[in-house]
């Protein structure tokens, strides 16, 4: 690419002028003044043309170019226009970037007068700036949408990025590098492509009055088979019958597995609900997940734990390889697990459990009012503000919220035998449980916000990474003592508690229930 009409260096003096741009432009370093090529290669822009855009970022950019056009290269214009036109592949909306107007400008570019060339240049820059912002941080701000999403914004300097793109010989490659690079994002894009290969669907909603078992005859079976054929779980047959045969049962099991349902071949309400999702609804589901992945950290860390809440699964990743997975139990809809990123810092063996305010208000106090022996049966000690133990018979409802309720260590403890700590403002953590049978459930949104981990001692042994002092035998000895012990995690392991309900695996669409009912509302906001 020829050196353009300028080497756009955008830090429009990092002093008083920085304050003018702060809301939209984060200036990271001072850059030298822009260099403009001979004036016959670019056109002077009337700064009044920028007013209608009401964008400090755009104004700062053209101020740094000495108010001259920058898109003299037809090749660069075509690259950007092509990128904006296919922005739907990233889950974005091409209409947000004025692609029709830009395309019309480009068709007439050879005959445009200087005023229209300036307008075209400004609009292309404005649309490209918006695209860069949406690509790197998403269209919406999760911190404004959700109270329990605690993710740091992926801070960028849009104009610095734009300058770098302009002065690079491989514009298309540099744009590609702006896109989220995580494997799940790539699998979401593949899922969108797979979905687009399917024909338009026009099915009516399936309804059943009772569950359908293999070998049953049911009037709904033909419509169910048609739905399975559409989703490519079942081969098209010349004659479809009302019998729930073995071939259809195998197709149902494949479908159930792809949707995180009980793989039992029984056609019940959950399976019917998933079958009733249309192509359009699934497409919307993928689009909202592409948006979420633009909010998530660009770098997860060399070694990290990532939990997908709707999939009830913890994965430990090192150097892009999955080393281990664990089933998890997450917060139920009324007590959602938060979305956050942090680092693992500490393991606590034989933890005590201090009852948090929500559980105290909604669970413990009502239980005590029903039966004062609840405290003794749960091995919970109550302390007043002076640290004095309050007996169950001294306990007073009027003082109930001022007390501290602590469950002693042991196998009966709600946190089980171990908890793993990561700093966060929600006071949640990973922990064992005294209800390990819950891991066999399909729907595991059962906790009060914290995440319960299956086989937590194996995970703990790995994290402590000390074959001599913290092998399973040594850990067992500590647990048998029933004494609380804190151990620092020395290795650097990042932690990500995230939420996504769609992706692809081996050319198959994978979906999970939207357990917190976030997808439909987010799609509506994206398209407004």
């Amino acid at each position: 690419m020829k050196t353009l009409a300028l080497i756009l260096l955008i830090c429009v003096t990092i002093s008083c002028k920085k304050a003018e741009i702060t809301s939209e432009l984060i200036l990271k370093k001072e850059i030298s003044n822009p260099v403009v090529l001979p004036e016959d290669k670019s056109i002077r822009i009337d700064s009044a043309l920028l007013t209608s855009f009401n964008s400090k970022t755009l104004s700062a950019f053209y101020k740094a170019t000495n108010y001259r056009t920058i898109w003299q290269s037809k090749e660069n214009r075509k690259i950007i226009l092509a990128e904006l036109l296919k922005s739907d592949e990233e889950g974005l909306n091409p209409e947000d970037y004025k692609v029709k107007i830009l395309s019309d400008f480009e068709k007439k570019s050879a005959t445009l007068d200087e005023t229209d060339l300036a307008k075209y240049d400004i609009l292309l820059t404005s649309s490209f700036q918006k695209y860069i912002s949406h690509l790197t941080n998403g269209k919406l701000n999760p911190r404004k949408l959700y109270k329990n999403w605690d993710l740091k914004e992926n801070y960028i300097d849009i104009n610095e990025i734009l300058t770098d793109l302009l002065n690079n010989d491989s514009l298309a490659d540099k744009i590609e590098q702006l896109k989220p690079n995580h494997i799940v994002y790539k699998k979401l894009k593949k899922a969108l492509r797979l979905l687009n290969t399917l024909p338009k669907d026009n099915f009516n909603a399936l309804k059943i009055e009772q569950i359908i078992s293999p070998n049953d005859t049911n009037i709904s079976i033909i419509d169910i088979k048609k739905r399975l054929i559409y989703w490519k779980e079942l081969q098209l047959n010349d004659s479809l019958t009302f019998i729930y045969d073995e071939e259809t049962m195998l197709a149902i099991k494949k479908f159930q597995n792809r949707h995180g349902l009980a793989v039992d071949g029984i056609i019940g309400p959950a399976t019917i609900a998933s079958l009733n999702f249309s192509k359009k609804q699934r497409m919307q589901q993928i689009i909202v997940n592409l948006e979420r992945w633009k909010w998530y950290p660009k770098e997860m860390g060399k070694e990290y734990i990532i939990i997908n809440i709707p999939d009830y699964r913890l994965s430990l990743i090192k150097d892009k390889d999955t080393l281990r997975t664990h089933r998890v139990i997450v917060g139920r809809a009324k007590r959602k697990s938060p979305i956050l990123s942090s680092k693992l810092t500490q393991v606590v063996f034989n933890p005590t459990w201090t009852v948090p305010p929500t559980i105290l208000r909604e669970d413990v106090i009502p239980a005590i009012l029903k039966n004062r022996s609840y405290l003794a049966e749960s091995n919970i000690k109550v302390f007043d503000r002076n640290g004095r133990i309050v007996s169950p018979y001294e306990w007073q409802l009027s003082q109930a919220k001022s007390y501290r309720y602590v469950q002693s260590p042991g196998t009966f403890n709600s946190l089980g035998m171990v908890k793993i700590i990561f700093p966060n403002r929600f006071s949640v953590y990973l922990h064992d449980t005294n209800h390990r049978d819950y891991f066999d459930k399909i729907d595991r949104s059962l906790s009060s916000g914290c995440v319960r981990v299956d086989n937590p001692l194996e995970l703990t042994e790995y994290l402590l990474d000390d074959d001599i002092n913290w092998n399973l035998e040594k850990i067992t000895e500590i647990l048998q003592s029933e004494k609380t012990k804190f151990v620092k995690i020395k290795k650097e392991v990042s932690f990500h508690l995230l939420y996504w309900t769609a992706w692809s695996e081996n050319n198959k669409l994978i979906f999970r229930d939207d357990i917190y009912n976030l997808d439909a509302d987010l799609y509506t906001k994206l398209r407004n």
Side-chain angles (χ1 to χ4, degrees), residues 384-430:
D384 65 16
R385 290 173 178 170
N386 297 317
R388 184 181 67 85
I389 293 179
V390 179
S391 77
Y393 303 102
E394 295 178 301
W395 184 89
Q396 298 178 42
L397 178 59
S398 61
Q399 301 295 316
K401 293 182 180 179
S402 68
Y403 298 141
R404 185 165 56 93
Y405 301 75
V406 181
Q407 190 176 48
S408 302
T411 55
F412 46 78
N413 187 280
S414 296
L415 305 185
M417 309 298 286
V418 63
K419 75 174 179 178
I420 301 170
I421 296 174
F422 46 92
N424 66 91
R425 65 181 177 88
F426 304 99
S427 299
V428 297
Y429 33 79
L430 302 177

Side-chain angles (χ1 to χ4, degrees), residues 14 52 63 67 73 106 143-144 146 178 187 198 332 340 376 406 459 468 475 501:
I14 296 182
S52 63
K63 185 174 183 179
Y67 297 104
S73 166
E106 182 58 34
R143 288 158 293 281
K144 293 181 179 179
Y146 312 111
L178 295 175
K187 287 180 176 181
L198 298 177
R332 51 191 181 271
L340 56 85
V406 181
L459 177 62
I468 297 174
I475 289 173
T501 58

